[in-house]
Amino acid sequence: MTTTAAVPEDQARAPEPESRAGATETPDRRAALLTLLRPHRPRLAGAIACGLLDQALTLAAALLGARLVGEALSGAAPGDLTTSLWLLGALVVPKVLAAWAESYLAHDLAFRVLAELRDRCYRALADLTPGYLLRRRSGDIGATAMADIELLELFFAHSLSPLIVAASVPAACLIAAFVLDPLIGAALLPAIVLMATVPFWLRRRSADQGRRMREATGEAAAETVDAVQGLAETLVFARQDTQAERLRAATERLGHATRAHRSRGGVEKAAGDAIAAVGLIAVLLTALALVNSGTLTADRVPTAAVLGAFAFLPLMTLVDTWRELANIRAAANRLAEIVTARPDVTDQSSRIRPVPEPIDPTVVFEGVRFRYGPDLPDAVDQVTFTVPAGSTVALAGHSGAGKTTCASLLLRHWDPTAGTVRVGGHDLRTLPLDRLRRLIAAVPQETYLFNLSIRDNIRLARPDATDTEVEEAARAAHAHDFVAALPDGYDTPAGEGGAHLSGGQRQRIAIARALLTGAPVLVLDEAVSNLDAESEAGVDRALRAARTSRTTLIVAHRPSTLRTADTVVLLDGGRILDAGPHDTLLARSPAYRRLLNESARQVS
């Protein structure tokens, strides 16, 4: 994971799709997450039923105990209490089993839903890439994928069922209190109603604080990831203090948000406790007054006390749970933002057309225009060129000329604002995305390797590839020799991000991946920029051999790479300045000669 997505050289920022205009409609987003509960409704119903049974048995045991106390205070003989004692003992086992079953079912439900949420989150990010990653720091996204989802476990395992139970038990206690004596019920009712309103007193502040807390958590996570991954650069430039100050500032913002959240929660808890205490005192005073008046017998006072206590206990739990719900709602909103976001490109069923096999790999850009945002200038404008099947076209130009944008449009990371990109005569928007991914292989400028073996990193391109096919791809990419020299050969771990390999070695693994796909179209985005002269020459030879059966689009600046292309398209400011074979451009284009001279100086 990197702290920010790799931004193309000619890209100011990612486009904001129109579908995100309703980003503030969080209730719909949370509802989208709650739909995950539908397949698990039997578990939810079971958890609620067991929770209600647990509370009912607990209340029954407490009332039975209160009756025993009342009878004992009234002078009942020990033999008269035997039946009640046996009943009290008989409630223990079913109460324990109900509590265990409620906890088991609630946690089983929670972990199943959380597993689905993680899967949805990952799949959504896969569909949203790369545009969405350019709008948010990856450390922040990581916090959503891990911490925010984990926080939802509190809701599904510890809040959902108790919230429903908390609404049922006080109602039952209130009814029982009215049955015991209407005045006792009347004394209990105002406190129950008042306590039930406590979570709504500071609702807006609670929602705002929950949002700020989750945002601060994501920011702190992003800064931490940034600090760890940039540690080498920090040490080289002796900027440890600067980075530490950024971390401290992010941590302080998180601490401030957390303290504000806890402070408000403390006010709500204190208010709830005070109301419960006042309500219980009111019930006891009413009961004692009724005893003094002869309306109520003394042995019923413990029962009144139990009813008062049990009416408030679930409500106190409700207030405690509600303090965390703002945080949970904010986490759900952040997750729902990812899960419900619409990708920049999607399969459009109305436009999908049957695709012949095999498809003609000719690539055509026709009048293509694209901008990364409505308030930004065109990154490319009126770009038209053709890459015939089996040929190689190189895109050349200064930084910001539009080279990487063209490559991204061919990979369909975005759709053109105007014009068309075609492969085999098919508009890319009419090809299913999974078919397009199999049709085009790419080697990016910056390669990410997973902390897996070299073999598995290459096999990422085609999981069913045999070891022999993996080795052949590595040989074609001139990677076999250095891989074979590693301690465990192809079974050597690449390290996180490929940390155990050099930049040139990582790039050759990426090229091996692309070759292993067997895709008829190759996109090489500065694929040899990280290779030394010897490695570049070897890889160039391998790629030349591979190009004989592939259509290749190269983003390049090195003269040695441009020289191997059949056609060079010279871009400037998003427009095509000139196009032709390398030697032809070298002879007729002063702009091309200047570009080569500058590139030669940079390489040297």
Side-chain angles (χ1 to χ4, degrees):
M1 182 185 295
T2 55
T3 54
T4 55
V7 181
E9 64 179 50
D10 46 18
Q11 179 174 313
R13 63 179 172 87
E16 290 285 345
E18 294 178 4
S19 61
R20 298 182 58 81
T24 58
E25 297 177 6
T26 53
D28 291 342
R29 290 177 168 184
R30 290 198 298 269
L33 294 183
L34 290 176
T35 58
L36 292 173
L37 288 172
R38 288 176 182 170
H40 308 290
R41 281 179 292 188
R43 288 183 179 83
L44 177 59
I48 293 171
C50 290
L52 289 172
L53 179 60
D54 175 35
Q55 291 295 320
L57 291 172
T58 303
L59 179 59
L63 290 173
L64 194 55
R67 177 182 174 184
L68 283 168
V69 171
E71 290 177 348
L73 291 174
S74 299
D80 297 334
L81 305 178
T82 303
T83 302
S84 296
L85 287 172
W86 278 109
L87 287 174
L88 187 61
L91 293 177
V92 173
V93 173
K95 187 250 184 289
V96 170
L97 290 176
W100 173 83
E102 190 271 340
S103 177
Y104 176 83
L105 289 172
H107 282 83
D108 183 53
L109 165 69
F111 293 131
R112 289 175 184 270
V113 172
L114 262 57
E116 292 181 31
L117 281 174
R118 290 191 178 94
D119 181 69
R120 280 201 181 190
C121 182
Y122 175 77
R123 292 179 182 278
L125 286 172
D127 291 337
L128 293 170
T129 302
Y132 191 76
L133 294 182
L134 298 174
R135 294 189 284 271
R136 286 179 62 178
R137 300 175 69 180
S138 59
D140 186 25
I141 293 176
T144 297
M146 296 300 296
D148 288 344
I149 290 179
E150 195 63 31
L151 185 61
L152 294 180
E153 190 262 345
L154 287 175
F155 175 71
F156 291 112
H158 302 283
S159 303
L160 189 56
S161 174
L163 283 174
I164 297 173
V165 172
S168 305
V169 174
C173 290
L174 187 60
I175 293 172
F178 272 105
V179 171
L180 183 64
D181 191 283
L183 289 178
I184 293 178
L188 188 58
L189 178 60
I192 288 179
V193 173
L194 185 61
M195 192 167 180
T197 65
V198 169
F200 301 96
W201 292 359
L202 304 173
R203 183 176 58 182
R204 290 186 179 179
R205 183 181 298 180
S206 171
D208 182 63
Q209 288 174 346
R211 177 183 56 79
R212 291 176 183 273
M213 190 172 173
R214 298 320 303 167
E215 288 176 352
T217 300
E219 182 185 0
E223 288 292 351
T224 302
V225 172
D226 220 9
V228 171
Q229 294 191 338
L231 189 57
E233 287 76 6
T234 300
L235 294 175
V236 166
F237 295 104
R239 287 293 178 267
Q240 299 94 313
D241 292 343
T242 302
Q243 188 60 51
E245 177 61 25
R246 292 179 60 187
L247 279 172
R248 185 194 63 78
T251 303
E252 281 190 358
R253 286 190 288 272
L254 176 57
H256 178 75
T258 303
R259 285 191 296 272
H261 172 72
R262 299 301 179 193
S263 176
R264 189 214 76 256
V267 170
E268 292 176 342
K269 178 174 176 56
D273 290 348
I275 293 170
V278 171
L280 185 56
I281 291 172
V283 168
L284 290 174
L285 290 176
T286 303
L288 291 174
L290 291 171
V291 171
N292 289 334
S293 66
T295 307
L296 189 72
T297 58
D299 62 342
R300 296 297 183 93
V301 173
T303 299
V306 167
L307 289 174
F310 270 78
F312 291 116
L313 283 175
L315 291 174
M316 293 172 70
T317 302
L318 173 63
V319 172
D320 290 341
T321 301
W322 202 271
R323 291 203 308 272
E324 297 302 324
L325 281 184
N327 203 12
I328 293 171
R329 286 196 303 269
N333 287 338
R334 282 163 52 86
L335 177 62
E337 180 184 348
I338 294 175
V339 173
T340 63
R342 293 184 61 185
D344 295 314
V345 297
T346 59
D347 278 336
Q348 302 174 22
S349 56
S350 61
R351 304 186 66 172
I352 297 298
R353 298 290 183 270
V355 182
E357 295 286 354
I359 193 171
D360 173 19
T362 298
V363 173
V364 176
F365 279 65
E366 184 178 344
V368 171
R369 182 168 63 85
F370 177 75
R371 60 176 59 185
Y372 286 100
D375 56 341
L376 295 175
D378 289 333
V380 292
D381 185 23
Q382 296 301 317
V383 169
T384 299
F385 64 87
T386 298
V387 189
S391 69
T392 298
V393 168
L395 303 179
H398 291 95
S399 176
K403 307 185 299 297
T404 299
T405 296
C406 289
S408 296
L409 292 172
L410 177 55
L411 292 168
R412 209 186 166 209
H413 290 162
W414 293 283
D415 286 330
T417 307
T420 308
V421 182
R422 294 190 179 90
V423 175
H426 299 273
D427 187 330
L428 296 189
R429 289 166 289 197
T430 67
L431 295 174
L433 283 172
D434 60 344
R435 179 69 180 90
L436 182 64
R437 301 294 181 251
R438 296 195 303 271
L439 183 64
I440 304 174
V443 179
Q445 184 175 2
E446 297 294 335
T447 298
Y448 188 89
L449 300 185
F450 293 90
N451 191 24
L452 302 170
S453 68
I454 301 294
R455 187 191 319 279
D456 287 338
N457 267 287
I458 297 175
R459 192 177 273 139
L460 180 70
R462 188 155 59 87
D464 61 346
T466 65
D467 289 349
T468 300
E469 290 172 326
V470 169
E471 184 175 325
E472 288 175 353
R475 288 181 183 277
H478 282 230
H480 174 75
D481 290 344
F482 85 77
V483 173
L486 294 173
D488 295 315
Y490 282 86
D491 294 320
T492 303
E496 185 177 359
H500 298 167
L501 305 177
S502 69
Q505 290 172 335
R506 289 195 296 270
Q507 204 68 355
R508 279 179 277 176
I509 296 299
I511 294 171
R513 278 177 177 171
L515 297 179
L516 183 62
T517 65
V521 180
L522 272 179
V523 176
L524 308 177
D525 189 355
E526 300 281 11
V528 297
S529 63
N530 291 329
L531 303 183
D532 55 37
E534 181 180 354
S535 298
E536 180 188 352
V539 172
D540 262 345
R541 287 194 297 271
L543 289 178
R544 286 191 203 187
R547 290 181 208 156
T548 57
S549 58
R550 289 180 173 87
T551 303
T552 308
L553 182 68
I554 302 177
V555 174
H557 69 277
R558 288 191 177 187
S560 56
T561 304
L562 296 172
R563 193 177 297 114
T564 65
D566 298 302
T567 301
V568 176
V569 175
L570 181 60
L571 294 166
D572 182 58
R575 288 178 171 269
I576 295 180
L577 194 63
D578 205 344
H582 167 75
D583 292 338
T584 301
L585 289 184
L586 192 62
R588 77 183 182 200
S589 174
Y592 188 63
R593 290 194 296 271
R594 285 194 301 270
L595 177 67
L596 293 184
N597 290 334
E598 292 172 9
S599 298
R601 286 196 297 270
Q602 291 173 3
V603 172
S604 61

